[in-house]
Amino acid sequence: MKSCERLANLALAGLSLAPLVVNVDPNLNVVLTACLTVFVGCYRSVKPTPPSETMSNEHALRFPFVGSAMLLSLFLLFKFLSKDLVNAVLTCYFFVLGIAALSATLLPAIKRFLPKKWNEDLIIWRFPIPYFNSLEVEFTRSQIVAAIPGTIFCVWYAKQKHWLANNVLGLAFCIQGIEMLSLGSFKTGTILLAGLFVYDIFWVFFTPVMVSVAKSFDAPIKLLFPTADLKRPFSMLGLGDIVIPGIFVALALRFDVSRGKEPQYFKSAFLGYAVGVVSTIIVMNWFQAAQPALLYIVPAVIGFLAVHCVWNGDVKPLLEFDESKTQSTEEVAAEESKKVE
């Protein structure tokens, strides 16, 4: 697993830097970058314990409505307030968030070259402010070292708004999202993807809101791919089109790992994602208009996984798989082992 992940990391880094020195077809760049990011995030999500943040069915049902409210709020902010003011506030927010995301993404690679004490010894810092003395922040020296390149990229982005800085931060957000979030079960994942399938279609095809916000929002919530067209210098791909299907594909990989088998269902879900992204690009170029990527990605991911699962007769184990129960069982086992000690 680790060797595949390292190769994917190298390929993703090379692909991100390539447009600086050679002309890369933006359509190919979109497909390869999206697929490599999902691949890296999925393998990073495989850990001894499931991801800490698990989504419930209720959260999955509410998510499209919460997303719609946030999207509409941003649209109204850009419409009635100064675009520069809104983007200045958002830049400050994403500056802090970007440092945390990029530092966490780089930390595993950086830790290999640092002393063991730097990776393990915790430093506890208390807020030296009245009424906030009880607040504590725990970190290691390794995390401080990892925050240095994260801070440099965030400063570069805030000053220049360069597409490469934007993409580096965007990729960090995607990888961390796929690595840290868990759908819990395939039932929850299907509910979430179905809801966002409708959400994406409605806001792209039936209103100008999604496209307007994407063009006005000057923050790393989308990946930018340079083109040779002066009228349209960049192709765009929203981070949600990577993270949302990515956490479903990652769940398929962890399902395979939990059964102690080769990643067969991960392969079918990942293939479905790749087919969905390619379909989006083909239709977008055919009609020369923005497309809701989840319209093509969601049916492909769920369809490929479902067909493979039915073919193998593994429908029941897949539907019964629940990471939240696995997590609680592991926590109980850990507590019992401590009592024995």
Side-chain angles (χ1 to χ4, degrees), residues 38 41-42 178 240-251 254 273:
V38 168
C42 288
I178 297 171
D241 298 328
I242 298 175
V243 176
I244 298 301
I247 57 179
F248 188 88
V249 178
L251 184 66
R254 294 195 298 275
Y273 179 77

Side-chain angles (χ1 to χ4, degrees), residues 223-269:
L223 300 181
L224 302 174
F225 303 93
T227 70
D229 188 353
L230 295 177
K231 293 181 180 179
R232 192 171 63 97
F234 295 102
S235 290
M236 295 185 298
L237 180 67
L239 302 192
D241 298 328
I242 298 175
V243 176
I244 298 301
I247 57 179
F248 188 88
V249 178
L251 184 66
L253 176 60
R254 294 195 298 275
F255 173 67
D256 288 330
V257 172
S258 71
R259 304 174 78 202
K261 296 184 178 181
E262 290 295 314
Q264 53 176 339
Y265 292 120
F266 164 71
K267 289 178 180 177
S268 57

Side-chain angles (χ1 to χ4, degrees), residues 13-339:
L15 189 62
S16 300
L17 296 171
L20 293 172
V21 291
V22 295
N23 290 326
V24 180
D25 182 84
N27 296 325
L28 180 64
N29 203 349
V30 168
V31 173
L32 292 179
T33 299
C35 291
L36 284 170
T37 305
V38 168
F39 188 89
V40 170
C42 288
Y43 273 93
R44 285 179 63 122
S45 75
V46 178
K47 299 175 181 179
T49 56
S52 55
E53 300 296 327
T54 303
M55 186 176 290
S56 65
N57 289 347
E58 292 75 16
H59 291 144
L61 284 169
R62 288 200 300 263
F63 196 91
F65 297 101
V66 174
S68 296
M70 291 180 64
L71 184 65
L72 191 57
S73 299
L74 285 170
F75 176 75
L76 294 174
L77 282 175
F78 283 118
K79 187 173 182 178
F80 294 109
L81 295 179
S82 167
K83 187 185 294 186
D84 292 336
L85 175 62
V86 176
N87 278 318
V89 174
L90 292 172
T91 297
C92 294
Y93 173 73
F94 279 97
F95 182 89
V96 177
L97 203 63
I99 293 175
L102 191 53
S103 302
T105 304
L106 295 174
L107 185 60
I110 291 174
K111 286 171 69 173
R112 296 165 55 203
F113 302 100
L114 296 176
K116 189 176 181 180
K117 287 185 65 177
W118 284 34
N119 298 330
E120 296 178 352
D121 292 352
L122 282 176
I123 299 170
I124 301 174
W125 184 76
R126 292 181 175 85
F127 282 79
I129 304 172
Y131 306 107
F132 291 93
N133 294 332
S134 59
L135 293 177
E136 297 180 351
V137 178
E138 295 182 352
F139 53 88
T140 63
R141 292 180 179 86
S142 298
Q143 289 174 319
I144 296 174
V145 174
I148 295 173
T151 304
I152 292 171
F153 266 98
C154 287
V155 170
W156 180 29
Y157 174 76
K159 285 188 173 183
Q160 303 292 332
K161 296 296 177 74
H162 194 277
W163 65 265
L164 179 59
N166 173 89
N167 285 4
V168 169
L169 294 177
L171 291 172
F173 290 141
C174 289
I175 291 170
Q176 286 303 301
I178 297 171
E179 178 183 355
M180 302 303 295
L181 298 175
S182 170
L183 292 168
S185 68
F186 288 99
K187 294 177 184 177
T188 303
T190 303
I191 293 170
L192 178 67
L193 263 62
L196 291 175
F197 171 81
V198 177
Y199 160 93
D200 217 18
I201 293 171
F202 175 77
W203 289 111
V204 173
F205 282 155
F206 297 99
T207 75
V209 173
M210 180 79 81
V211 176
S212 176
V213 170
K215 290 180 178 178
S216 303
F217 206 129
D218 194 6
I221 61 161
K222 55 186 180 291
L223 300 181
L224 302 174
F225 303 93
T227 70
D229 188 353
L230 295 177
K231 293 181 180 179
R232 192 171 63 97
F234 295 102
S235 290
M236 295 185 298
L237 180 67
L239 302 192
D241 298 328
I242 298 175
V243 176
I244 298 301
I247 57 179
F248 188 88
V249 178
L251 184 66
L253 176 60
R254 294 195 298 275
F255 173 67
D256 288 330
V257 172
S258 71
R259 304 174 78 202
K261 296 184 178 181
E262 290 295 314
Q264 53 176 339
Y265 292 120
F266 164 71
K267 289 178 180 177
S268 57
F270 183 76
L271 179 61
Y273 179 77
V275 169
V277 175
V278 171
S279 301
T280 305
I281 297 298
I282 292 172
V283 176
M284 185 182 68
N285 284 291
W286 182 271
F287 290 102
Q288 290 296 303
Q291 296 293 317
L294 295 182
L295 169 62
Y296 310 99
I297 294 173
V298 168
V301 170
I302 295 178
F304 273 64
L305 180 63
V307 169
H308 191 182
C309 187
V310 170
W311 181 269
N312 286 348
D314 283 334
V315 175
K316 187 177 179 181
L318 186 125
L319 292 177
E320 290 177 347
F321 180 68
D322 192 334
E323 281 192 314
S324 61
K325 293 179 181 178
T326 304
Q327 187 175 7
S328 60
T329 302
E330 289 178 351
E331 288 173 354
V332 169
E335 289 177 3
E336 289 179 351
S337 64
K338 286 180 181 178
K339 290 178 181 178

